[in-house]
Amino acid sequence: MGAKGKKVLISGASFAGLSTAFWMSRFGYEVTVVEVARGIRAGGTAVDIKGNTVDIVRRMGLFEQIRSNRLSLQRWEMKNERDVTERSLVLRGEGEAPSDDEFEVERTVLLNMLFDAVKDHIEVVFDDSITALRETQDRIEATFARGAPRTFDLVFGCDGVHSAVRRLWFGDEARYLYFLEQYFSITIVDTLLIERNTAQMFNVPGKAVMLNAYKNNTDIIFAFVSEKELPYDRRDEEAQRRIIADRFAGVGWRTAELLEAVRGSKSFYFDKLCQIRMPSWTKGRVALVGDAGYCPSPAAGMGGSLAIDGASALADAMQEHDCDFELAFRAYNERFRPFIEQVQAEAVRTGLESLVPRTEEAIRARNAQTHAAF
């Protein structure tokens, strides 16, 4: 069938969207990316590039840039209330070269790499979003919040765990979202609160406070257990800051100081830990990539890399079937699913309890492990 003269619409300009745009543009599609934000969204925790993802970024021509911008975490420290290190996990000795098969990169840096790789070959529309989709026999019409309606051959929903494309085309979010009984927040401050290239964690039962220092920045992460979902407006950032302040009031270690830093910060993100589980990531001329289709939750530690993997899996299927989207979508659903199910199961089995143990005994057991699960 080929891609010549055909148009694709991609919702979302993050890892899934920009990676999908990279491959679709290379195949010859005319690519339009629509992003609800006014620009590339900066911030967020660093991204791990390892395993199969290393081979993918090599194919994309990004490997050398990633290697030259890698972070270099050296040590994890488990802290108690008195700021005493109960256990230190040395990931790399002083002067020891980092591994060449695993890389950690700032989220914003990697996003900018991807954007630079595609921006001259695609159309990017910021500050807009898809509000409706209507499929005909050989096309799909998209209606936008701001722009005029347009028609495309394919639509890819790469717009995250709260995907608008998934809601419009596959149904309400509640049908596919599995709450994992934890909430978390991430704040990035442009100062070193601990020694560079060090991460620290403090736990009380059902709560975690983490710091990750790199370059001249520190990530401040709060996470807590909640067996019931909390009612709050996803667009009300101040209400979300209050949730964190209330939940961690009176918690020891450096928590009071860190809450004050969060209160006055420009960077703040809050959400529940959840997974997206769907029987199919495709329907008609629409396919989902990344968190929109199979979010594993941050407990998996591979949301960004999984989006890159998913875009590559979709691209490989499209290439194999000469852009016959029906055959390609079927192959994408079948071949990539076992890996996704494994990642999601592992996040539930080990990731959640490693991040936020629910009892003092579990905290002690986690701290005593000879291998970290972070």
Side-chain angles (χ1 to χ4, degrees):
M1 295 177 67
K4 185 177 181 180
K6 294 186 177 181
K7 299 179 180 181
V8 300
L9 173 64
I10 297 171
S11 176
S14 190
F15 296 116
L18 294 177
S19 298
T20 301
F22 175 91
W23 295 112
M24 295 304 122
S25 174
R26 175 171 285 192
F27 293 159
Y29 285 104
E30 296 177 29
V31 177
T32 297
V33 175
V34 60
E35 166 59 50
V36 67
R38 295 182 179 179
I40 296 296
R41 300 190 196 205
T45 55
V47 178
D48 283 329
I49 303 295
K50 58 187 177 182
N52 184 57
T53 318
V54 176
D55 294 331
I56 293 170
V57 297
R58 285 183 187 274
R59 289 165 55 197
M60 297 175 77
L62 300 175
F63 177 77
E64 292 302 330
Q65 289 184 72
I66 288 172
R67 182 159 62 177
S68 64
N69 284 276
R70 74 189 309 176
L71 301 177
S72 188
L73 183 65
Q74 293 179 307
R75 188 169 64 255
W76 264 100
E77 297 176 342
M78 307 302 179
K79 293 289 187 174
N80 65 20
E81 284 197 2
R82 301 181 304 279
D83 201 30
V84 173
T85 301
E86 294 192 341
R87 177 168 173 266
S88 180
L89 179 71
V90 177
L91 305 178
R92 185 169 57 85
E94 195 68 38
E96 182 182 343
S99 166
D100 224 22
D101 59 3
E102 183 173 347
F103 304 83
E104 187 178 34
V105 185
E106 289 174 88
R107 181 183 180 279
T108 301
V109 170
L110 184 56
L111 271 181
N112 284 332
M113 285 183 203
L114 283 165
F115 185 65
D116 288 343
V118 300
K119 65 182 180 181
D120 295 332
H121 310 289
I122 66 173
E123 175 190 18
V124 183
V125 180
F126 289 111
D127 195 23
D128 206 351
S129 59
I130 302 169
T131 58
L133 293 169
R134 186 178 69 87
E135 187 172 7
T136 63
Q137 184 174 349
D138 58 357
R139 304 280 280 188
I140 187 162
E141 182 179 280
T143 303
F144 299 92
R146 295 179 180 272
R150 296 168 62 178
T151 57
F152 299 87
D153 293 276
L154 300 171
V155 173
F156 298 110
C158 305
D159 43 357
V161 65
H162 302 296
S163 168
V165 170
R166 188 186 61 235
R167 173 176 50 80
L168 291 168
W169 201 245
F170 294 85
D172 187 75
E173 178 177 289
R175 294 171 58 184
Y176 309 111
L177 188 148
Y178 288 77
F179 176 50
L180 299 181
E181 298 186 353
Q182 288 187 21
Y183 285 84
F184 72 105
S185 76
I186 301 168
T187 300
I188 302 174
V189 294
D190 56 356
T191 187
L192 288 172
L193 299 178
I194 56 176
E195 186 178 345
R196 183 185 283 111
N197 299 326
T198 300
Q200 295 182 350
M201 174 176 282
F202 169 72
N203 287 92
V204 296
K207 296 178 183 178
V209 185
M210 289 171 275
L211 296 175
N212 181 31
Y214 52 92
K215 296 186 177 178
N216 291 312
N217 301 321
T218 306
D219 297 341
I220 304 172
I221 301 170
F222 289 97
F224 63 89
V225 169
S226 177
E227 294 182 356
K228 295 183 179 179
E229 293 193 48
L230 304 178
Y232 66 94
D233 184 346
R234 287 198 297 112
R235 296 167 183 80
D236 189 343
E237 190 174 288
E238 287 309 307
Q240 296 164 30
R241 290 177 194 261
R242 287 194 297 272
I243 291 172
I244 291 297
D246 291 344
R247 289 277 173 164
F248 285 85
V251 174
W253 191 48
R254 301 174 60 180
T255 302
E257 166 201 346
L258 299 176
L259 287 174
E260 188 63 24
V262 169
R263 191 178 70 82
S265 69
K266 295 180 180 178
S267 163
F268 181 81
Y269 177 82
F270 176 84
D271 205 349
K272 56 191 169 189
L273 260 67
C274 61
Q275 293 184 342
I276 299 298
R277 304 177 190 171
M278 303 181 67
S280 176
W281 307 317
T282 66
K283 186 173 77 170
R285 293 177 174 271
V286 179
L288 303 176
V289 182
D291 281 354
Y294 33 82
C295 173
S297 87
M302 54 188 304
S305 61
L306 203 63
I308 295 171
D309 292 354
S312 175
L314 174 64
D316 289 345
M318 293 289 282
Q319 184 174 40
E320 178 183 349
H321 294 286
D322 193 25
C323 297
D324 181 329
F325 75 91
E326 292 177 319
L327 294 177
F329 284 5
R330 188 178 307 132
Y332 168 57
N333 264 299
E334 293 174 355
R335 295 178 187 173
F336 197 52
R337 187 168 297 276
F339 176 60
I340 291 297
E341 291 177 348
Q342 178 184 352
V343 169
Q344 290 187 331
E346 187 64 23
V348 172
R349 184 165 54 249
T350 61
L352 292 176
E353 188 63 15
S354 293
L355 292 169
V356 192
R358 298 193 182 207
T359 66
E360 189 66 35
E361 292 75 15
I363 294 171
R364 298 293 154 227
R366 191 277 315 276
N367 288 355
Q369 288 176 351
T370 55
H371 299 283
F374 310 112

